[in-house]
Amino acid sequence: MIEDKDQQRTPLSELGEFGLIDHLTKNFKIKQTTTIRGIGDDAAVIDFKGKQTVVTTDLLVEGVHFDLSYMPLKHLGYKAVVVNLSDVYAMNATATQITVSIAVSSRFPLEALEELYAGIEKAASIYNIDVVGGDTTSSTKGLLISITALGEVNKEKVVYRNQAKPKDLLVVSGDLGAAFMGLQVLEREKEVFKVNPKNQPDLSAYTYLIERQLKPEARKDIIALLEQLEVKPTAMIDISDGLSSEIIHLCSQSDVGCVLYETKIPIDPALISTCEEFDIDSTTVALNGGEDYELLFTISQEDFPKIKGNPNLTIIGYMEEAAEGLHLLTRAETKIPIKAQGWKNFND
Ligand code: ADP
Ligand code: MG
């Protein structure tokens, strides 16, 4: 759909492995004082000066996690970084460094990797993190990208998934479901394009949804907000697989139950109208869509006044004794059990 047939194509073989690494990484500047040594040695050296270290990694495979027919490489680079940082923030930590490993087939010219790295660089700059290493290799088919993120956190600040207590409030940042519907719109346009490549779709009604799919953000700002409000969540997780699946993780790891109010789930007006058009229930999408990269957390009731009325945060329910189970209280005031679906199954 977005493929440009006229673009320049420099074969990777022209640069060789070291030439390529040099070329791709020459713009990275060290910004963090904790980075002692970045790219260029056998290993990076980091000094967190007594703070705890957070490490997380993700592997993205072409055709499984992304589709380059509608995902521009620059966005892919950006998103690959952001999804990792989101996991660091979900520990209530500060993200500080990443490493980037790629495997590429000869189908990709240098210019394609430059695009990918432009996205990585943009994310590194916006989130103020250092790219301190990686690995570069060839693949027989397609593109693989693996990013590892490092972060730091004071021992007393770290937030796990397993400390939610009965009566705690369940809170979510931002709004949910938009990234999934953005993907549905892109998939639909891809099918239309296959039939009629000359068709120029007007996607303006879906700008927000598509942006949420192609250019998600990690909620670094929410971590700063919680610090400022002096709220330490009792448990926290980022929403990558969908609200219901993440709620189930929080509840099972904390050994609690919960009540989730359907009417409280934050959804954007663009999601409602697009769900009507696609004839899908917007609550189902918000519950199971995934890739929102919002933060889901629990707070003790004492902290309620501190977050009350904050436009970035929505209280969507509360935790219960484990024996009460996990329930969605619907608009019609019926109680239905929360079941995991996850966005992958959702597609089947
Ligand atoms: P080694 O042989 O020790 O694995 P490399 O030649 O693969 O070293 O890498 C040289 C330096 O470049 C190292 O600091 C490594 O971390 C970094 N590097 C390699 N590939 C990438 C990449 N795709 N992105 C960022 N840094 C990279
Ligand atoms: Mg190497």
Side-chain angles (χ1 to χ4, degrees):
M1 186 152 72
I2 307 162
E3 220 169 320
D4 178 5
K5 296 281 183 302
D6 302 324
Q7 61 192 327
Q8 223 191 317
R9 298 182 74 87
T10 310
L12 294 180
S13 54
E14 226 169 74
L15 290 98
E17 185 193 331
F18 301 123
L20 175 63
I21 295 173
D22 247 18
H23 185 84
L24 293 177
T25 61
K26 63 177 188 287
N27 291 331
F28 292 125
K29 301 253 171 355
I30 300 298
K31 304 178 281 271
Q32 294 281 347
T33 54
T34 52
T35 307
I36 309 303
R37 191 80 164 90
I39 290 169
D41 217 307
D42 295 308
V45 180
I46 317 282
D47 184 357
F48 284 130
K49 303 181 179 85
K51 288 193 175 183
Q52 291 194 333
T53 309
V54 176
V55 189
T56 174
T57 195
D58 263 305
L59 173 62
L60 302 175
V61 178
E62 182 179 358
V64 180
H65 303 102
F66 58 89
D67 182 335
L68 291 176
S69 57
Y70 49 70
M71 184 74 163
L73 278 156
K74 188 171 175 183
H75 286 74
L76 176 64
Y78 192 89
K79 183 169 174 174
V81 175
V82 160
V83 302
N84 272 279
L85 301 185
S86 179
D87 282 319
V88 174
Y89 300 132
M91 302 301 291
N92 205 29
T94 305
T96 44
Q97 288 91 8
I98 58 166
T99 63
V100 180
S101 297
I102 52 172
V104 263
S105 75
S106 54
R107 184 180 116 225
F108 292 87
L110 175 65
E111 289 73 16
L113 294 188
E114 284 175 347
E115 279 295 300
L116 181 75
Y117 268 73
I120 292 171
E121 217 180 310
K122 176 133 198 230
S125 151
I126 287 176
Y127 289 90
N128 194 33
I129 49 154
D130 293 340
V131 181
V132 296
D135 202 18
T136 309
T137 183
S138 56
S139 87
T140 48
K141 195 170 167 279
L143 174 68
L144 289 87
I145 172 163
S146 175
I147 294 190
T148 298
L150 294 168
E152 56 174 24
V153 60
N154 277 326
K155 200 169 151 193
E156 59 279 4
K157 285 259 165 82
V158 64
V159 176
Y160 298 105
R161 294 178 176 181
N162 65 357
Q163 298 295 318
K165 301 282 177 289
K167 297 197 174 66
D168 281 356
L169 301 174
L170 183 63
V171 186
V172 70
S173 64
D175 59 75
L176 302 177
F180 177 84
M181 278 319 285
L183 182 63
Q184 302 314 300
V185 170
L186 289 167
E187 293 275 3
R188 182 178 71 181
E189 293 314 318
K190 183 182 166 184
E191 293 310 311
V192 172
F193 180 81
K194 276 187 196 160
V195 181
N196 180 8
K198 289 215 167 62
N199 178 52
Q200 276 294 331
D202 177 12
L203 298 178
S204 54
Y206 314 109
T207 308
Y208 178 66
L209 307 182
I210 292 172
E211 192 171 298
R212 291 282 282 173
Q213 169 59 222
L214 295 184
K215 195 174 172 290
E217 301 292 351
R219 298 311 302 260
K220 181 185 184 180
D221 58 328
I222 298 296
I223 298 309
L225 176 69
L226 291 172
E227 165 103 25
Q228 186 201 325
L229 297 173
E230 294 178 20
V231 173
K232 184 191 169 192
T234 51
M236 183 152 61
I237 191 168
D238 74 321
I239 302 183
S240 49
D241 293 337
L243 179 63
S244 43
S245 153
E246 315 304 357
I247 287 179
I248 290 166
H249 284 308
L250 283 186
C251 288
S252 66
Q253 294 204 24
S254 298
D255 195 26
V256 292
C258 81
V259 174
L260 169 68
Y261 296 99
E262 181 181 15
T263 53
K264 304 279 187 203
I265 299 172
I267 47 183
D268 190 86
L271 181 73
I272 297 172
S273 56
T274 308
C275 282
E276 277 169 10
E277 185 190 333
F278 279 68
D279 200 18
I280 306 181
D281 176 51
S282 58
T283 301
T284 307
V285 169
L287 283 173
N288 304 305
E291 294 201 282
D292 297 306
Y293 301 107
E294 295 295 343
L295 292 171
L296 176 72
F297 56 92
T298 52
I299 60 168
S300 79
Q301 286 200 15
E302 279 159 43
D303 284 335
F304 169 67
K306 299 183 193 165
I307 71 150
K308 189 180 160 213
N310 193 297
N312 296 293
L313 304 174
T314 310
I315 298 167
I316 55 174
Y318 62 92
M319 310 319 261
E320 289 245 58
E321 297 294 339
E324 299 291 324
L326 284 65
H327 291 98
L328 175 73
L329 192 63
T330 68
R331 218 166 266 134
E333 303 211 347
T334 51
K335 245 180 154 184
I336 58 172
I338 296 174
K339 285 198 257 8
Q341 233 177 346
W343 69 276
K344 286 182 194 81
N345 300 333
F346 191 63
N347 253 340
D348 296 340

